[in-house]
Structure formats: C-alpha cells, structure tokens
Amino acid sequence: QVQLVESGGGLVQAGGSLRLSCATSGRTFSSYTMGWFRQAPGKEREFVAASVWNGGSTNYADSVKGRFTISRDNVKNLVYLQMNSLKPEDTAVYYCAASRSGNWYLSGRASNYDYWGQGTQVTVSS
C-alpha cells in the first residue's frame, strides 16, 4: 500500500509560480511512475505530468509544456511539480498518483495509476 500526501497549493496571481510536493510512503518509491493530474470544477480529471521510473523519462500535457516541471527525489520519496507562468485556466485541484507501470505511453492515463492522494487546491487569479 502506498500513501500519497500533496502540499504546496494555494492562491497565486496569473504569471506567478507554485511548487507542489507529494510525499509518499513505501520503500519502493523509485519503482513507481509518479504522475500529477488536475480536476477543475465541472470538468474531468486531466493529465498534467509524469515521471516514469523505467528509464527516468518525463511526460507532459501540451497545455503545460514549457511551464511546468516534474521532478522526484528517490531518497526522500518526494515528487514535485514546479509550476511557472501560471494562468487562470490552471486553477484546479491537483492530485498526485503512483503507478507500478513503467510504460511511458501509459503514463498519461489516469486508469494506469494504482494510488492517489487527496489533492491540493491551486487557484490562479487574473
């Protein structure tokens, strides 16, 4: 069983930055693909970014490429999402997720993930 706890959300003006963190339990963190997803009110959950354990590659949604960066610390069992140049449309609850799959092509699919955090709210004002 893996437990995930997100932190770092908040209110920020458009153009600002936030860094989300996700703390994980378990001794095999380095063997999990870690992903970030988000869900805005009235919308479906969507993929944001992933860090694939198998090969260390990353994957990003087109909407965040060049603005967001996912990173991980396999010693501290933490995964981060650095969000720069934030836009009002980035407003959502952001979720951290963990997957045992090392398949990069599946890393953008919510159904690929086995464990989820409770989410942290990010609000970007215009």
Side-chain angles (χ1 to χ4, degrees), residues 5-122:
V5 179
E6 304 95 335
S7 61
L11 173 64
V12 64
Q13 288 188 331
S17 298
L18 281 175
R19 188 177 80 157
L20 305 183
S21 299
C22 175
T24 68
S25 63
R27 293 176 289 181
T28 59
F29 173 76
S30 61
S31 298
Y32 282 88
T33 289
M34 300 302 299
W36 287 97
F37 289 77
R38 66 187 182 187
Q39 188 167 18
K43 295 187 177 181
E44 294 187 353
R45 190 171 297 189
E46 65 173 2
F47 169 70
V48 176
S51 171
V52 182
W53 73 265
N54 187 9
S57 58
T58 56
N59 187 12
Y60 294 94
D62 288 344
S63 59
V64 306
K65 280 181 181 177
R67 300 189 299 123
F68 290 12
T69 302
I70 187 170
S71 61
R72 63 195 295 164
D73 185 330
N74 287 336
V75 174
K76 297 181 178 179
N77 286 8
L78 290 167
V79 61
Y80 305 101
L81 184 67
Q82 178 66 44
M83 305 186 294
N84 298 328
S85 302
L86 282 161
K87 305 175 181 179
E89 50 264 43
D90 294 318
T91 294
V93 177
Y94 283 70
Y95 297 90
C96 176
S99 168
R100 288 184 290 264
S101 171
N103 189 324
W104 183 90
Y105 294 98
L106 298 178
S107 63
R109 300 182 187 178
S111 60
N112 184 52
Y113 290 80
D114 306 292
Y115 305 100
W116 293 83
Q118 293 300 308
T120 185
Q121 176 71 45
V122 171

